[in-house]
Amino acid sequence: METVTRFAPSPNGPLHLGHAWSAIVAHDLARARGGRFLVRIEDIDGARSRAEFAESALEDLAWLGLTWDGPAIRQSERVDTHAAAVEDLKARGLVYPCHCTRAEVAAAARKIGPDGPVYPGTCRDAAFVPTGPVAWRLHMDRALAKAGPLTWYDELAGEQVANPGLFGDVVLARKDAPGSYHLAVTLDDAADGVTVVTRGADLFASTHVHRLLQALFALPVPQWHHHALLLDETGEKLAKRRGSPSLFDRRLAGEDGRALADALRAGQLPSNLTFSRLANGGENA
Ligand code: GLU
């Protein structure tokens, strides 16, 4: 089977070195296997997405010497399919409306999951009829019963037993977007024919939820490749908020993007950065 990978940035800010590494891993993996490398701009967060960040991201990738197959895909063009999938789950009684705010969830939660406070189920049995926009949450117990036991395979960490219950009743449709990250990324990876989902190890646990959604929608099951993250001197992953230099800044300063990509490939990181360990204890890609 042909290998298809993708890099799927959210255009909420400029790309940094961590994004560059993620794109290089996905690109090189596809090229090494004679497959295809796709770019998908995950621009469904209307409040945070900006067209100029999407444009700049594509210029950054070209500057790094990466090539992708076909035009960049825009996730915002898929929102109808995201909405239709939620309607399907509504009809099957697998989602329910929730009006709780983030602050209410944080205050009422009794557990912390991979994404933060686990929703305690406040609206699960409330049976209210929404009059305005609300979030729709997966009824995790029913979904787990429907799907049965599941496993998934990470190329670096090996076979995993899916444990989506860690997340509780996750949001699948947001008040302000037809699909949440978990829903949109799962549907779109299937729509794009992705066979190896490459992304940072910080999203490792999310795959438990994605595997469950694949089962509920009878989607093909890819493999995963969760690569190491670039960490800064405090041991935290690079984040735009923390002021790490953007690729845009480097490009504007006249730096050679191809040389930078080759240095990362060779494990030559700027002196303040290190690679995180992987879920299986190993390092690097
Ligand atoms: N759009 C997500 C992000 O930028 C990544 C999605 C994924 O690779 O699964 O964090």
Side-chain angles (χ1 to χ4, degrees), residues 11 22 24 30 35 58 60 72 76 111-112 129-130 167 173 191 211 227-228 251-252 277 284:
S22 202
I24 291 165
L58 298 178
D60 292 339
S76 53
K111 273 193 281 185
I112 299 290
V129 179
F167 286 77
R211 181 67 192 87
H227 60 76
R251 186 149 61 81
L252 234 59
R277 300 197 77 77
N284 215 326

Side-chain angles (χ1 to χ4, degrees), residues 6-12 19 22 40 42 75 181 185 189 197-200 202-203 210 237 240:
R6 71 355 179 234
F7 174 58
S10 303
N12 303 338
H19 293 111
S22 202
R40 187 174 66 233
E42 302 214 314
Q75 191 163 53
Y181 160 67
V185 81
D189 280 338
V197 175
T198 56
R199 59 181 169 217
D202 52 334
L203 289 168
H210 305 172
K237 70 169 179 156
K240 346 177 210 234

Side-chain angles (χ1 to χ4, degrees), residues 36-206:
R36 283 184 296 132
F37 169 61
L38 311 178
V39 174
R40 187 174 66 233
I41 303 292
E42 302 214 314
D43 55 351
I44 52 172
D45 186 338
R48 296 169 68 211
S49 288
R50 299 237 305 264
E52 57 269 34
F53 289 133
E55 284 319 307
S56 188
L58 298 178
E59 285 164 22
D60 292 339
L61 296 179
W63 171 74
L64 290 166
L66 307 183
T67 54
W68 54 97
D69 295 291
I73 299 153
R74 308 276 161 167
Q75 191 163 53
S76 53
E77 291 172 6
R78 302 260 176 81
V79 289
D80 290 351
T81 63
H82 305 159
V86 175
E87 289 306 314
D88 176 40
L89 294 177
K90 285 182 197 173
R92 294 157 68 193
L94 292 174
V95 287
Y96 62 87
C98 170
H99 54 59
C100 297
T101 62
R102 207 179 268 266
E104 285 167 343
V105 174
R110 290 180 293 275
K111 273 193 281 185
I112 299 290
D115 270 353
V118 173
Y119 181 68
T122 320
C123 296
R124 192 185 298 132
D125 301 311
F128 73 94
V129 179
T131 49
V134 286
W136 288 81
R137 289 184 178 273
L138 183 65
H139 194 303
M140 185 57 80
D141 287 346
R142 282 189 202 158
L144 290 175
K146 191 133 217 116
L150 298 167
T151 59
W152 52 277
Y153 186 79
D154 181 275
E155 290 188 342
L156 302 175
E159 185 87 354
Q160 307 293 314
V161 173
N163 189 4
L166 289 175
F167 286 77
D169 294 355
V170 282
V171 170
L172 293 189
R174 294 164 37 157
K175 205 188 252 183
D176 57 355
S180 66
Y181 160 67
H182 293 306
L183 184 89
V185 81
T186 304
L187 294 173
D188 287 7
D189 280 338
D192 294 330
V194 172
T195 63
V196 186
V197 175
T198 56
R199 59 181 169 217
D202 52 334
L203 289 168
F204 192 89
S206 296

Side-chain angles (χ1 to χ4, degrees), residues 33 42 238:
R33 298 179 192 176
E42 302 214 314
L238 295 186

